[in-house]
Amino acid sequence: MTEMAFLKAILTYFALALIIFLSAYLFSADVAIFFSIFLLIPILMWQQNYLKKEKISKQVDGRAKRTILFWIFTLFILALLVRIPSALLFGMPYEKTPLIYLTIFTIIVIEKTDISAFGFKTQNMGKAIFHGLIFYAILGGLTLLTNYLLVYVFTNQTSVQSYAIPLFVLAMPFHTLCVGVSEEGFFRGYVQTHLEKFYGANRAILIQAALFGIWHFVWNLNPLDLWGMAQYIALAFFIGLPFGYFYTKAGNLASVIIVHGLWNSVQLGIIANQAAFDALQSIPIATQILILLLPYAISIIPAILFIKFVVKEI
């Protein structure tokens, strides 16, 4: 039963990826994004219908550590099998909706567990969104502000030329409903929830953040940029730490999904100043690293304090 169910999940996963890839190839990125969002409706309807027919557990199952690690590794590799060609062919993360299907099918059909046990909760949504907005204001807002100031100090140039609000508005649905749900659902929800049972919260946060960092190597494959890849992996790792800590405290993915959507969408609206970027290339590497990492280091501290003293289970 498990093997057949997983085979169906894999076939559905690759079929969805093919549909989205073809829509991007034959039509446009906008059409592929539309399909990515639209195809979330069937999985929502299926999940609600399945729960009416089948009895599943509200608690994470007690399978052996070796089995859990196998499933985490398998899902991660399957996700990369679509993510890598998506990045190379289209420069877009079109694997998101298929990954949502794969994760939810695995949790419900194979592990016989309600997705709420992995942080997919709808109760107290207002509170979850409110906490997410504050979290983003601290982590994302302070990061952007510090980066802006550092660039100006070292280059005498402003890093932002202008801001395109329409780009932010158009990007937000995809980066929240597809990118946010898939990555938070898999790394924080599925991976971290399982790992906490064997390694405790701190080690689970570190491991999922490391996987989250590795997950982002794809954007520097073509053209191959090892320095850029190392920076991207490091930044994703550092972002994964407070996200993981927030999930451990709240037990609800809604907040970090909102933050994820804002993190990506707000930055997409920024029209960078090319003169500032060119000036950055001429300063010492050590200074470039400082400008890159210091904003995150500064913003993570108050973000962690906010989570530690304010965030409770939602």
Side-chain angles (χ1 to χ4, degrees):
M1 174 60 184
T2 300
E3 291 79 6
M4 183 60 66
F6 190 56
L7 178 60
K8 291 180 179 178
I10 292 177
L11 291 176
T12 302
Y13 169 70
F14 283 115
L16 286 168
L18 181 60
I19 291 171
I20 296 172
F21 279 16
L22 286 176
S23 67
Y25 177 75
L26 296 175
F27 301 103
S28 66
D30 291 338
V31 173
I33 288 173
F34 169 79
F35 270 118
S36 295
I37 298 174
F38 177 77
L39 288 171
L40 294 176
I41 298 175
I43 187 66
L44 178 62
M45 296 175 63
W46 171 85
Q47 184 248 345
Q48 293 176 338
N49 185 59
Y50 187 88
L51 294 182
K52 294 177 182 178
K53 299 178 180 179
E54 301 289 338
K55 185 177 180 181
I56 60 178
S57 174
K58 295 289 185 179
Q59 303 294 325
V60 178
D61 67 8
R63 293 182 299 171
K65 180 170 70 172
R66 179 179 297 180
T67 302
I68 294 300
L69 293 178
F70 168 80
W71 281 103
I72 289 174
F73 177 78
T74 300
L75 295 185
F76 187 68
I77 295 300
L78 285 171
L80 285 177
L81 289 179
V82 174
R83 180 169 171 81
I84 292 173
S86 180
L88 293 178
L89 294 173
F90 305 105
M92 288 289 290
Y94 291 141
E95 81 287 348
K96 303 309 181 187
T97 296
L99 179 56
I100 292 172
Y101 273 75
L102 185 63
T103 303
I104 291 180
F105 280 161
T106 301
I107 292 172
I108 295 179
V109 179
I110 297 172
E111 301 189 8
K112 298 295 183 182
T113 307
D114 193 287
I115 58 175
S116 63
F118 293 87
F120 291 98
K121 300 176 181 178
T122 56
Q123 65 265 34
N124 300 318
M125 187 61 70
K127 181 180 179 181
I129 293 175
F130 180 68
H131 276 78
L133 292 175
I134 297 176
F135 183 42
Y136 175 75
I138 297 171
L139 186 63
L142 191 55
T143 295
L144 291 174
L145 177 61
T146 307
N147 179 265
Y148 181 92
L149 293 174
L150 286 173
V151 170
Y152 184 78
V153 167
F154 285 101
T155 68
N156 201 33
Q157 297 275 352
T158 58
S159 59
V160 179
Q161 179 177 314
S162 62
Y163 194 82
I165 294 178
L167 288 179
F168 161 72
V169 173
L170 291 173
M172 188 64 181
F174 175 72
H175 283 278
T176 303
L177 298 175
C178 296
V179 180
V181 173
S182 66
E183 294 190 348
E184 297 308 318
F186 180 66
F187 290 100
R188 260 63 77 178
Y190 186 80
V191 174
Q192 186 174 317
T193 298
H194 271 312
L195 292 180
E196 282 186 3
K197 294 178 68 66
F198 302 108
Y199 299 112
N202 291 337
R203 288 182 66 186
I205 291 171
L206 284 173
I207 295 171
Q208 65 80 21
L211 288 175
F212 188 59
I214 295 170
W215 175 251
H216 287 81
F217 83 94
V218 299
W219 303 116
N220 298 97
L221 285 176
N222 187 23
L224 183 62
D225 178 7
L226 295 179
W227 170 238
M229 184 183 294
Q231 294 179 71
Y232 213 147
I233 291 173
L235 290 178
F237 170 75
F238 283 121
I239 292 170
L241 294 175
F243 275 46
Y245 183 39
F246 192 108
Y247 173 63
T248 292
K249 290 278 286 185
N252 191 327
L253 290 172
S255 298
V256 283
I257 288 172
I258 291 294
V259 177
H260 204 131
L262 285 169
W263 186 281
N264 289 1
S265 304
V266 168
Q267 296 195 54
L268 287 174
I270 296 174
I271 308 300
N273 182 1
Q274 186 61 41
F277 178 78
D278 293 338
L280 282 173
Q281 306 308 305
S282 63
I283 64 178
I285 292 294
T287 306
Q288 293 184 42
I289 296 175
L290 176 69
I291 294 173
L292 179 70
L293 295 181
L294 186 59
Y296 296 95
I298 291 175
S299 63
I300 280 178
I301 295 173
I304 294 296
L305 292 175
F306 166 72
I307 297 169
K308 181 177 179 63
F309 294 109
V310 177
V311 176
K312 307 294 182 183
E313 186 173 355
I314 301 175

